[in-house]
Amino acid sequence: MTELLKTPGETPPTTAQGRAFGPWCTRAVLKNGPLGGLIALVVVMAVLSQDFLNGQNLLNVGVQASVTAILAFGVTFVIVSAGIDLSVGSVAALSATVVAWAATGEGLPVWIAVLLGLAVGAAAGLVSGALVAYGKLPAFIATLAMLSIGRGLALVISGGSPIPFPASVSSLGDTLGGWLPVPVLVMIAMGLVAALILARTYSGRAMFAIGGNEEAARLSGIHVKRRKLVIYALSGLFAAVAGIVLAARLTSAQPQAASGYELDAIAAVVIGGASLSGGSGKASGTLIGALILAVLRNGLNLLSVSAFWQQVATGLVIALAVLLDTLRRRSAR
Amino acid sequence: MTGVNDDVPGGRELLRVEGVTKSFPGVRALDGVDLSLRTGEVHVLLGENGAGKSTLIKMLSGAHRPDEGRILADCGADGGTNGAPGSGAQGLREVHIRSAQDAERLGIATIYQEFNLVPGLTVAENIFLGRQPRTALGLVDRKTMRARAAELLRRVRLDVSPSTPVSELGIARLQMVEIAKALSLEARVLIMDEPTAVLTSDEVETLFGIVRELRADGVGIIFITHHLDEIGALGDRVTVLRDGRSVDEVPASTDEEELIRLMVGRDISEQYPRTRPDAPGAPLLRVRGLTRHGVRSSKGSPARPAFEGIDFEVRAGEVVGLAGLVGAGRTEVARAIFGVDRYDAGTVEVGGTELARGDVRAAMRAGLGLVPEDRKGQGLVLDASLQDNLTLARLDRDTRRGLVDRGGQRREAAAVAGQLKVRMSGLGQSARTLSGGNQQKIVIGKWLLAETRLLILDEPTRGIDVGAKVEIYQLINELTAAGCAVLMISSDLPEILGMSDRVLVMAQGRLAGELPAAEATQDAVMELAVRSPKGAAPPDAGHTPSTNKNHPGQSAMEGSDD
Ligand SMILES: Nc1ncnc2c1ncn2[C@@H]1O[C@H](COP(=O)(O)OP(=O)(O)OP(=O)(O)O)[C@@H](O)[C@H]1O
Ligand SMILES: [Mg+2]
């Protein structure tokens, strides 16, 4: 290390650096899990691109991560309880469309329109939850159905074309004081709420029990079906918030917005260390997962890597992250 | 039985463990353990819960690797070459067992304490998992596989079709499938971790017969059990583990008291320390005419045995034992009372108020608690921490103004873990990594924290060592002295007789009779248990005779433990 520090900065000895960097990176990732991975990725991007580590760009990364992260917080609840929610992208678009339709189309007061949008999100989640808990449908199927229904309803309500968002809600997509993007603030706030729900509420603790062993949870007096309603409703509610933030950034509700985002959200949760078989997961991990995806995309953009290769890289990172996480867990046994 | 094999010249050493040490975060599970196994011997591993027995055998099966020490094996004719030539006795070489495949190559087969069967697959597929016979085209040869499985099943006297999905089998039958699977490996070393914990006496006899045959064939067997009477009946030598150290190696003819002393490090004065109350208190639980009609699974055999006309009551301060053969419907009745399963007729009253059917929360609110027989499948969230497991049943009580009081939970969990003397590295340890007996203490502790007034214990001491058993019995005494009551289901007859104030006996879904403690003897209970109920046919008699060829008194009736 000391030798490295002594070498003049203008001519970085790339080979030596590469050699030292590899094992350091692996160790950091193995030891700290997702956070180590994020730091390693940031370091790599900073080395590869001069433009990466500047304040404005980092805030951009935050904005890019915000919608995925908010969706992913909601999905974390579902995944911790050993379910899956494929509908969050559609529900986000539906909620945003409802807000725009109510405020712009029907002329309702903005706050009522927003409440209506949030209620629609939660209701969509409730329906998925009811299908899973009472209809005994596999979560995959129930939320796949909701994915289609949500998107369809968004198209029906909007007639297929974007509806302008009310100006006061659109300010959610702006910055505070000219530099601090509101979406980042919303992301942080929703992250804190998610962390609080997971760690400290009855529903949160029940999520871990249900995901870990549903039968044991039931035999310990947890009303599993009712909890599932709450879990999917929370996921829908978070999706509605994400949808409103996205529409605010675009200043219009687009019925086709956020399609495919559910996969990013699930990826963020899994990269963040949650297990798809349930019983584990953290809001902080999910945030890191969303940031990893955003850093990767932003960095690759700066390096002008084509969008096609970006998809390949994202896939590789997902696989790598989960692989490392499995290794880490095994070595901890 | 005689421990003659100890001195038999032909008893060649098959396996030797020298100074093996293994640590997990926070615990030293094994500390310089020695063990040796010869051909044609049954070597019993004895030790308290958490002494390190399972950890030791996991070194031999490739699941764990030792931190220190070495394992020597007689590599036999096939002469596996993974290891340097050993310096020890001739024929023995140091081996490094890194995986289940390595163990299999050395001829070591293991039946783990926890089951390793794939629920969706059939019995035959599970037995030959990964080793299915192939046809010339490389496809799985189902016919041969089924025929060979059928033969193995006959050997373990298990009356199920090879094409039954294992998910339809109860615990006892799962254990017999595990044994059949191990037999199919034709191993030279067979390791069994508490195989008898879930078996009834008939099945235990079958197992012993098989083990004796294998011993005669020269197989070396490592046998773990908490039933001391099995040691004299089956074993040749005994290695006693205490706190991860091998304390002694003694012949199996050593008397039980001495074995207990070696194992626990002190004498146990009384095995069943029941202090019976002078007069039981007011009725706590009253069950009237509880009935459920049989439910048939897809294959025609009843998936769950039914019960009919169950009437009894449990009074404050009482321990009521529920005896019967496996499949008599005891577990089903317990689950129905606790609201886990629905029932078709009858009532359950607690303290005079009737409970809603199929509502666990209502049962809990009325003061009921259930320690299920399958602690891993139904009692514990295995990957959650001990704190979360202990406080699970009082989660709503610990929630104030929407937030769970984590600090309070930690204090409660610490208190009850201390009271039950749970052997753990900390409350953050996951329940999975606890030894079997300590896991059971966690499940019981959960109900203590839920302030249960009537605790239903289903096979509470399955897989529990003698010392911990007495601790659990003492706990039962404390509970009843405090005015609570206990309904105890157990297949361990001495335990039922030693601890109950009254014994209810079930046979084929009905209450066959009730015996006060003074009249409850082994013979009296068994006579009631095997008696076919007078008059009416059993409630599940609807199914075709071909699937009901079990003799009524046979223990291998429909497994109750689904
Ligand atoms: N993977 C693990 N991680 C941490 N601790 C472990 C792990 N496996 C076992 N232990 C600990 O090692 C000790 C020995 O456990 P082991 O399962 O070998 O006991 P045992 O003698 O088989 O007990 P039982 O009779 O209850 O089955 C226990 O204290 C247990 O908690
Ligand atoms: Mg064990």
Side-chain angles (χ1 to χ4, degrees):
Chain A
M1 276 321 266
T2 43
E3 281 146 355
L4 265 182
L5 289 177
K6 274 182 215 146
T7 50
E10 303 93 293
T11 53
T14 40
T15 50
Q17 201 172 8
R19 229 186 297 141
F21 187 70
W24 175 81
C25 180
T26 332
R27 229 178 312 126
V29 173
L30 274 183
K31 198 147 154 243
N32 301 314
L35 182 60
L38 177 62
I39 294 172
L41 193 62
V42 166
V43 171
V44 171
M45 288 304 174
V47 169
L48 292 179
S49 161
Q50 251 75 55
D51 303 323
F52 180 77
L53 262 194
N54 87 46
Q56 191 50 51
N57 187 56
L58 288 184
L59 287 174
N60 272 342
V61 171
V63 173
Q64 282 168 358
S66 60
V67 173
T68 314
I70 298 169
L71 287 175
F73 290 138
V75 174
T76 307
F77 302 137
V78 181
I79 288 182
V80 163
S81 60
I84 190 87
D85 193 346
L86 297 175
S87 70
V88 291
S90 301
V91 171
L94 173 63
S95 297
T97 306
V98 166
V99 174
W101 164 80
T104 313
E106 302 293 306
L108 292 174
V110 170
W111 64 273
I112 292 190
V114 169
L115 278 186
L116 201 61
L118 296 177
V120 165
L126 268 182
V127 172
S128 304
L131 288 175
V132 172
Y134 294 92
K136 304 248 159 71
L137 287 189
F140 193 95
I141 304 297
T143 59
L144 190 63
M146 187 49 69
L147 177 150
S148 192
I149 294 170
R151 186 69 65 193
L153 286 178
L155 286 164
V156 169
I157 293 172
S158 64
S161 44
I163 311 176
F165 228 48
S168 52
V169 188
S170 286
S171 62
L172 272 180
D174 293 344
T175 53
L176 269 189
W179 63 276
L180 189 55
V182 181
V184 173
L185 290 180
V186 178
M187 169 175 81
I188 292 170
M190 294 308 276
L192 290 175
V193 171
L196 186 75
I197 290 176
L198 281 169
R200 293 292 306 276
T201 64
Y202 180 86
S203 290
R205 301 318 299 170
M207 287 169 198
F208 287 95
I210 293 171
N213 185 345
E214 190 171 321
E215 186 67 3
R218 188 164 80 96
L219 290 187
S220 301
I222 287 173
H223 202 304
V224 173
K225 289 180 176 163
R226 211 173 288 161
R227 281 312 120 194
K228 282 191 176 167
L229 287 185
V230 173
I231 290 165
Y232 284 88
L234 277 173
S235 176
L237 188 65
F238 275 62
V241 174
I244 293 171
V245 169
L246 179 62
R249 275 178 54 205
L250 306 173
T251 65
S252 71
Q254 303 178 3
Q256 292 290 13
S259 60
Y261 278 33
E262 53 278 344
L263 297 184
D264 276 5
I266 294 169
V269 177
V270 172
I271 292 175
S275 151
L276 276 181
S277 51
S280 68
K282 272 177 154 178
S284 59
T286 297
L287 176 64
I288 290 167
L291 287 175
I292 285 179
L293 288 177
V295 166
L296 191 69
R297 281 204 189 122
N298 174 278
L300 294 177
N301 270 336
L302 290 180
L303 298 173
S304 31
V305 174
S306 85
F308 305 153
W309 280 110
Q310 285 192 24
Q311 291 218 19
V312 177
T314 311
L316 287 177
V317 163
I318 295 174
L320 191 70
V322 179
L323 204 64
L324 287 175
D325 199 46
T326 337
L327 281 179
R328 192 166 54 89
R329 272 172 221 228
R330 204 175 304 157
S331 69
R333 279 236 162 130
Chain B
M1 298 288 172
T2 52
V4 281
N5 281 356
D6 212 347
D7 316 307
V8 163
R12 198 160 41 85
E13 201 167 11
L14 262 177
L15 196 67
R16 191 194 295 166
V17 172
E18 288 180 357
V20 159
T21 296
K22 175 79 185 177
S23 297
F24 295 110
V27 264
R28 174 164 277 212
L30 291 178
D31 191 0
V33 168
D34 301 321
L35 177 76
S36 109
L37 180 73
R38 300 189 189 167
T39 56
E41 123 171 287
V42 176
H43 197 128
V44 178
L45 266 186
L46 189 64
E48 288 181 281
N49 297 125
K53 306 177 295 293
S54 298
T55 308
L56 177 57
I57 61 135
K58 281 181 184 162
M59 307 276 163
L60 301 174
S61 65
H64 288 324
R65 260 175 280 167
D67 298 340
E68 277 167 45
R70 30 182 226 159
I71 299 171
L72 302 136
D74 175 4
C75 298
D78 40 322
T81 49
N82 61 341
S87 53
Q90 38 113 233
L92 284 186
R93 276 190 276 178
E94 180 167 2
V95 291
H96 298 279
I97 308 174
R98 293 192 179 84
S99 65
Q101 285 76 26
D102 285 352
E104 204 178 315
R105 230 170 287 131
L106 290 167
I108 301 175
T110 308
I111 301 172
Y112 288 106
Q113 195 169 3
E114 52 280 324
F115 298 117
N116 283 294
L117 299 172
V118 186
L121 298 184
T122 65
V123 170
E125 283 165 337
N126 265 292
I127 291 178
F128 293 104
L129 196 61
R131 302 171 291 116
Q132 296 95 336
R134 301 292 168 95
T135 62
L137 287 174
L139 300 175
V140 173
D141 183 353
R142 292 185 167 276
K143 236 173 85 190
T144 314
M145 185 165 87
R146 264 203 296 270
R148 280 172 53 190
E151 195 187 308
L152 287 162
L153 292 175
R154 255 196 308 283
R155 212 167 143 199
V156 299
R157 297 210 205 119
L158 187 56
D159 186 21
V160 299
S161 146
S163 41
T164 318
V166 298
S167 54
E168 291 186 10
L169 302 182
I171 285 192
R173 288 170 165 205
L174 289 177
Q175 183 70 69
M176 295 316 271
V177 173
E178 284 276 8
I179 292 165
K181 180 176 171 182
L183 289 180
S184 77
L185 290 167
E186 288 168 15
R188 294 181 306 138
V189 175
L190 180 58
I191 303 174
M192 303 186 171
D193 196 350
E194 296 190 34
T196 56
V198 300
L199 300 182
T200 59
S201 50
D202 284 2
E203 290 155 336
V204 168
E205 270 315 310
T206 308
L207 176 64
F208 280 14
I210 295 167
V211 169
R212 288 190 188 110
E213 273 168 36
L214 291 172
R215 172 168 61 187
D217 293 345
V219 176
I221 294 149
I222 296 179
F223 196 89
I224 300 182
T225 184
H226 287 296
H227 299 292
L228 298 178
D229 50 328
E230 292 173 6
I231 295 174
L234 191 68
D236 297 308
R237 280 191 293 174
V238 182
T239 289
V240 183
L241 291 185
R242 194 200 306 157
D243 294 331
R245 297 201 182 82
S246 36
V247 242
D248 208 350
E249 190 198 278
V250 293
S253 49
T254 313
D255 68 56
E256 287 192 8
E257 256 140 60
E258 173 68 7
L259 288 174
I260 292 176
R261 208 187 46 72
L262 284 171
M263 177 175 154
V264 194
R266 62 187 153 86
D267 291 310
I268 288 188
S269 46
E270 215 180 345
Q271 245 194 319
Y272 301 106
R274 174 75 186 142
T275 40
R276 298 201 161 86
D278 304 329
L284 257 180
L285 172 74
R286 188 174 276 151
V287 178
R288 290 264 167 274
L290 208 62
T291 300
R292 189 178 66 212
H293 309 303
V295 186
R296 252 165 273 166
S297 79
S298 50
K299 292 248 153 56
S301 63
R304 287 193 198 134
F307 46 83
E308 192 171 313
I310 305 292
D311 280 305
F312 67 91
E313 59 179 38
V314 180
R315 293 167 167 273
E318 242 188 344
V319 177
V320 175
L322 191 50
L325 301 175
V326 170
R330 296 167 300 166
T331 295
E332 280 54 47
V333 169
R335 285 169 63 95
I337 293 173
F338 190 57
V340 185
D341 298 330
R342 298 192 155 267
Y343 44 92
D344 297 317
T347 58
V348 176
E349 277 174 29
V350 179
T353 43
E354 192 178 329
L355 289 186
R357 288 183 196 184
D359 188 347
V360 174
R361 293 171 64 83
M364 280 175 61
R365 244 175 285 134
L368 298 190
L370 171 71
V371 174
E373 60 177 344
D374 175 7
R375 60 177 160 257
K376 290 193 178 171
Q378 302 172 346
L380 291 166
V381 183
L382 284 175
D383 287 317
S385 68
L386 300 183
Q387 178 182 332
D388 284 345
N389 272 290
L390 281 169
T391 53
L392 189 56
R394 57 170 297 145
L395 198 51
D396 34 9
R397 230 173 293 200
D398 283 335
T399 308
R400 271 170 225 109
R401 275 186 251 112
L403 290 188
V404 178
D405 177 10
R406 300 285 282 164
Q409 283 192 325
R410 192 167 328 110
R411 280 190 297 279
E412 290 152 3
V416 83
Q419 183 192 348
L420 296 177
K421 303 200 192 83
V422 177
R423 192 175 298 202
M424 58 181 185
S425 59
L427 286 171
Q429 190 177 350
S430 75
R432 185 186 295 284
T433 58
L434 227 49
S435 76
N438 285 297
Q439 287 180 335
Q440 184 72 322
K441 289 186 187 173
I442 297 292
V443 184
I444 295 179
K446 173 169 78 179
W447 291 112
L448 295 187
L449 278 180
E451 289 160 32
T452 305
R453 283 192 303 143
L454 184 126
L455 191 57
I456 307 174
L457 301 170
D458 196 352
E459 306 288 0
T461 61
R462 184 178 268 176
I464 303 242
D465 72 60
V466 276
K469 263 187 197 172
V470 175
E471 284 170 26
I472 290 179
Y473 299 148
Q474 241 126 25
L475 198 77
I476 292 178
N477 277 338
E478 284 167 32
L479 281 172
T480 52
C484 301
V486 170
L487 177 65
M488 181 169 74
I489 299 173
S490 174
S491 299
D492 184 352
L493 212 43
E495 167 175 291
I496 287 267
L497 300 178
M499 286 304 294
S500 319
D501 305 336
R502 243 175 340 123
V503 181
L504 304 171
V505 186
M506 275 188 76
Q508 297 191 45
R510 287 155 185 271
L511 269 188
E514 180 183 325
L515 299 164
E519 291 165 33
T521 61
Q522 197 130 350
D523 292 337
V525 171
M526 281 319 286
E527 192 186 318
L528 286 171
V530 300
R531 189 159 73 190
S532 55
K534 20 185 182 320
D540 59 355
H543 57 266
T544 52
S546 64
T547 58
N548 190 23
K549 53 191 168 214
N550 291 320
H551 188 268
Q554 203 166 311
S555 58
M557 288 164 43
E558 301 313 325
S560 68
D561 3 49
D562 40 278

